């Protein structure tokens, strides 16, 4: 079955960096777009970034553009979110999400369990 396992969350200081990884299994990873979605305490889901199945295009929410970088390794069935210049407002539970097609950024059919990111001094 499809499994998405996030790792790499933790506590960072403002201005610091964290690197999230998502290990995928149970499907043909290179056929599907992937996204990162987050949920801050007491708030709804916020799409953060997405990448097409072949890695040809990557997209970011305005709130993270220029600070976060998403990439994928289809040989290792892994997607990564490099987060730099972290802000307290980046504090959230971060989910890896599998899209339902190669170029779908907002239509998901599977989610990971999430990894907590806390940005605080």
């Amino acid at each position: 079955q499809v499994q998405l396992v996030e790792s790499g969350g933790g506590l960072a200081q403002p201005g610091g960096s964290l690197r999230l990884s998502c290990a995928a299994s149970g499907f043909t990873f290179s056929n599907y777009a992937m996204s990162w979605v987050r949920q801050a305490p007491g708030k709804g889901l916020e799409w953060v970034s997405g990448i097409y199945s072949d890695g040809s295009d990557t997209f970011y929410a305005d709130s993270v553009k220029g600070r976060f970088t998403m990439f994928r390794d289809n040989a290792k069935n892994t997607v990564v979110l490099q987060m730099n210049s972290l802000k307290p407002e980046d504090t959230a539970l971060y989910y890896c999400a599998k899209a339902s097609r190669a170029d779908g950024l907002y239509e998901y059919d599977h989610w990971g369990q999430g990894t907590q990111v806390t940005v605080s001094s």
Side-chain angles (χ1 to χ4, degrees):
Q1 72 277 21
V2 173
Q3 284 196 318
L4 301 170
V5 180
E6 302 98 334
S7 61
L11 176 65
Q13 292 190 338
S17 299
L18 284 173
R19 186 179 180 104
L20 307 184
S21 294
C22 174
S25 62
F27 64 102
T28 304
F29 182 72
S30 59
N31 286 355
Y32 297 94
M34 299 293 293
S35 282
W36 287 95
V37 180
R38 68 186 180 186
Q39 186 168 28
K43 297 189 176 181
L45 292 171
E46 177 190 17
W47 173 82
V48 174
S49 65
I51 189 167
Y52 284 170
S53 61
D54 60 359
S56 60
D57 280 293
T58 311
F59 305 87
Y60 301 94
D62 288 344
S63 57
V64 306
K65 200 171 293 182
R67 301 187 297 120
F68 290 11
T69 302
M70 182 179 184
F71 57 93
R72 66 190 294 160
D73 185 338
N74 284 349
K76 296 182 178 180
N77 288 6
T78 300
V79 65
V80 172
L81 184 67
Q82 177 66 43
M83 306 186 296
N84 298 329
S85 302
L86 284 164
K87 303 176 180 180
E89 52 263 44
D90 294 320
T91 295
L93 188 60
Y94 283 71
Y95 296 97
C96 172
K98 172 188 171 292
S100 56
R101 62 180 202 266
D103 60 353
L105 298 180
Y106 310 115
E107 303 163 356
Y108 318 118
D109 53 20
H110 290 86
W111 299 72
Q113 81 287 351
T115 186
Q116 179 66 39
V117 170
T118 302
V119 183
S120 174
S121 55

